[in-house]
Amino acid sequence: MKSNRAPWYFYVIIIIGSVMMVFPFLDMIFSSFKSASEYALLKYRLLPEHFIFSNYRMAIEELQLLLLFKNSLIRSVSITLVVLITSSLAGYVLAKLRFPGKQVIFSFILSTMMFPAFLFFIPNYFITVHFPLVGGNDILGQGGEGGLAASMLGLIVPFSVSGFGIFLMRQFMISIEDAYLEAARIDGAKELRIFAQIVVPMTAPALATLAIFEFINSWNEFIWALLMNSVNSNLATLPVGIQMLKSAIDPTLTQPLVMAGLVIATIPILLLFIFLQKYYVRGMMNTGLK
Amino acid sequence: MRRFKFKRETLLAYSFLSPVLLFYLIFLMIPVVFSVLISFTDWGGFDFASMKWVGLKNYRTIFSSQSSFLNPIMTNTFVFAFGGVAISFIAALIISYLISRMRYEGLWRTLFFMPAVTTVVAIGNVWYYMYNPTNGLINGIITSLGFRSINFLDDPNHALLSITAVSGWMGIGSAVLLLSAGLKGIPNDYYEAAELEGAGHLRQYTKITFPLLKPTILFVLITSFIGGLQSFTLTMVMAKSGGPGNSTNVGALEMYNQAFSFGNWGVASAMAIILFFVIFIITMAQLLIFRKGGVESY
């Protein structure tokens, strides 16, 4: 029924548009297999003359790609898990419990989403590096090797709560029937058990949405990771490591390595998105922005 | 008994909320106060002893006539935000309508959405190479059509627009997604009736689609314009500190560089606060336009 409506030129326009979207990705993938001599050509070519894999081998060695990958993975998995926990705890409280101050706290959490990220880079950088009693800091935050930034905590802790996540979980939990919770309470179940064994399983779809959304966003995050890397170079994630390499040496020499690194940094996440896009898209619709 | 239960529930609520509230205290409320404070000082971010109170000096410096913050940097910021929104919005308006009438809508939407789930470092670098004047794709096309190759990123006359175009390209997918959701809310009967009356695609669009899509359109415009005003990662990846000269520099990037390249935390914080108010005022103005236009839901 739908297809009858679309005249042929609809398809022409959309196919041209799609090519413009996909082409940079193809260019990235094909370039990663080109040899250095092909990069020196004075003319553009999409396909490599011979597919060579040495760029990947060199990227793994020179870029320490495996370390970057590991850092990105630890960071994204940790942020995702912590955000799931903090969001569902707070979402449950705001959806299902009655207590003084509830409206104020809910409005406050909504308003946190209005604050732009750039406002926090400077103060949070200072707070993270001078966090008391971590990374060798004393109680006044002095004397250590970078506070939270002395370890992976610097990449994780400042992202451990998400206003959007709390809002999403609260909206979802509001639709859970109070009768389920009341029945469990009458049976004498403890609140923490009600939360863990009744509420959390019922919110699985919302948790999936939040998980994939947080995972992709923290995988791609760049500025904060760059700042943490300036304190402690062991904390480089994939985007940071690749960008540092690009600005470090002669661009014509590094381009093949950058391309190979970018393929490793982007293709797994694109595949993840394609398989789980139903959940990601739901997250997008709920915020309306990224 | 009742009173006891009420207290227990309150205690439970606040213990569940405590990690979240503590987080917001440390990473949101203290930082906002701290930022305002820093903006009145001369400070390099080391120890508090080296912090010097200078009153409004940083703000006066930013607004002084020698300062590059208002022009070209804030002008660039608006060009970048406005240009990026214009490109992605117009493209998305057409694309979302076309694919809503086509087969495989999900497939097309996924293709347009790919840049939105890709790190800006990848997008910026790949386009940087595509803009290359000798062996980049775009100049390859331009020269094969018989024109002279363009120095997209090294020429101050082209650099800002070249980066803005990439930002527009990146933003198409999110706008398509939101507009598609809006289009789904328009009943098919309307189109069928219009078709029976003999209305063509263009007429159907202007008489049915556009008016009913208005709330979504306004929402997309506001959110992406605000996003554009604060964005600087793409500029950083493609043009480092906003060069050549200041030709691509934007507000948030200048703030970042003042703080973390030059160690002027006071000036940088003042810039952050000015930029925040600019965005805040624009958001409020747009919300007001929303209400006037009869859109209550946002």
Side-chain angles (χ1 to χ4, degrees), chain A residues 5-24:
Chain A
R5 280 233 185 70
W8 60 271
Y9 58 84
F10 275 34
Y11 283 89
V12 173
I13 296 172
I14 290 300
I15 287 170
I16 292 173
S18 304
V19 169
M20 286 171 70
M21 297 317 284
V22 177
F23 209 91

Side-chain angles (χ1 to χ4, degrees), chain A residues 90-128:
Chain A
Y92 172 66
V93 167
L94 293 171
K96 287 296 168 199
L97 298 184
R98 278 180 305 171
F99 58 97
K102 181 171 157 178
Q103 262 320 309
V104 179
I105 291 175
F106 183 59
S107 314
F108 169 74
I109 288 171
L110 281 184
S111 74
T112 62
M113 290 193 271
M114 298 258 296
F115 287 99
F118 67 79
L119 196 58
F120 298 99
F121 289 131
I122 294 171
N124 280 350
Y125 174 87
F126 189 85
I127 288 169
T128 302

Side-chain angles (χ1 to χ4, degrees), chain A residues 181 184 189-203:
Chain A
L181 310 178
K190 287 266 190 326
E191 282 295 330
L192 202 61
R193 228 182 104 183
I194 295 176
F195 172 73
Q197 295 191 337
I198 301 177
V199 178
V200 170
M202 287 175 97
T203 55

Side-chain angles (χ1 to χ4, degrees), chain B residues 37-82:
Chain B
L37 215 76
I38 299 174
S39 77
F40 295 114
T41 68
D42 195 353
W43 193 37
F46 300 109
D47 52 58
F48 288 116
S50 64
M51 204 179 210
K52 221 175 76 201
W53 185 266
V54 293
L56 287 171
K57 185 183 147 224
N58 294 329
Y59 290 90
R60 274 201 297 270
T61 312
I62 291 169
F63 286 113
S64 78
S65 52
Q66 298 100 315
S67 156
S68 54
F69 190 73
L70 294 186
N71 190 28
I73 294 170
M74 281 314 282
T75 323
N76 289 346
T77 311
F78 278 97
V79 171
F80 178 82
F82 191 80

Side-chain angles (χ1 to χ4, degrees), chain A residues 183-235:
Chain A
R185 273 184 199 124
I186 288 164
D187 287 345
K190 287 266 190 326
E191 282 295 330
L192 202 61
R193 228 182 104 183
I194 295 176
F195 172 73
Q197 295 191 337
I198 301 177
V199 178
V200 170
M202 287 175 97
T203 55
L207 289 172
T209 295
L210 185 57
I212 179 77
F213 196 73
E214 282 296 324
F215 187 88
I216 292 181
N217 287 353
S218 38
W219 184 273
N220 290 338
E221 197 279 330
F222 175 60
I223 299 291
W224 185 259
L226 186 68
L227 285 176
M228 290 300 102
N229 179 70
S230 72
V231 183
N232 176 356
S233 57
N234 294 324
L235 297 184

Side-chain angles (χ1 to χ4, degrees), chain A residues 2-3 6 11 20-21 39 41-42 93 98 100 124 157 191 220 222 243 246 255 259 273 277 288 290, chain B residues 9 12 14 16 23-24 27 31 100-101 103 105 110 112-113 116-117 119 125 129 134-135 169 178 233:
Chain A
K2 233 175 153 185
S3 59
Y11 283 89
M20 286 171 70
M21 297 317 284
Y39 279 95
L41 286 179
L42 293 179
V93 167
R98 278 180 305 171
N124 280 350
V157 173
E191 282 295 330
N220 290 338
F222 175 60
Q243 185 62 24
K246 191 211 153 197
Q255 192 181 351
M259 288 300 190
F273 163 72
Q277 57 168 310
K290 247 190 11 131
Chain B
E9 198 167 331
L12 182 82
Y14 279 98
F16 274 28
F23 174 89
Y24 281 129
F27 290 106
S100 75
R101 321 263 94 201
R103 270 188 214 222
E105 183 181 351
T110 307
F112 285 100
F113 200 72
V117 289
T119 174
N125 281 311
Y129 295 127
T134 49
N135 59 7
W169 175 86
L178 292 168
T233 320

Side-chain angles (χ1 to χ4, degrees), chain A residues 143-289:
Chain A
E145 279 119 52
L148 289 173
S151 66
M152 287 295 288
L153 288 176
L155 288 173
I156 298 163
V157 173
F159 294 86
S160 52
V161 170
S162 149
F164 156 68
I166 296 172
F167 179 68
L168 183 81
M169 294 314 294
R170 182 228 180 225
Q171 296 307 87
F172 201 86
M173 284 170 172
I174 269 184
S175 61
I176 294 176
E177 296 273 354
D178 283 328
Y180 287 110
L181 310 178
E182 286 306 323
R185 273 184 199 124
I186 288 164
D187 287 345
K190 287 266 190 326
E191 282 295 330
L192 202 61
R193 228 182 104 183
I194 295 176
F195 172 73
Q197 295 191 337
I198 301 177
V199 178
V200 170
M202 287 175 97
T203 55
L207 289 172
T209 295
L210 185 57
I212 179 77
F213 196 73
E214 282 296 324
F215 187 88
I216 292 181
N217 287 353
S218 38
W219 184 273
N220 290 338
E221 197 279 330
F222 175 60
I223 299 291
W224 185 259
L226 186 68
L227 285 176
M228 290 300 102
N229 179 70
S230 72
V231 183
N232 176 356
S233 57
N234 294 324
L235 297 184
T237 58
L238 279 167
V240 172
I242 295 168
Q243 185 62 24
M244 300 292 282
L245 177 83
K246 191 211 153 197
S247 31
I249 333 169
D250 178 8
T252 52
L253 290 175
T254 52
Q255 192 181 351
L257 303 189
V258 168
M259 288 300 190
L262 290 178
V263 170
I264 304 281
T266 55
I267 300 303
I269 216 78
L270 271 176
L271 292 177
L272 191 75
F273 163 72
I274 288 168
F275 286 122
L276 300 173
Q277 57 168 310
K278 183 173 81 178
Y279 299 106
Y280 187 90
V281 164
R282 225 184 280 162
M284 272 290 297
M285 300 288 196
N286 274 301
T287 47
L289 73 161

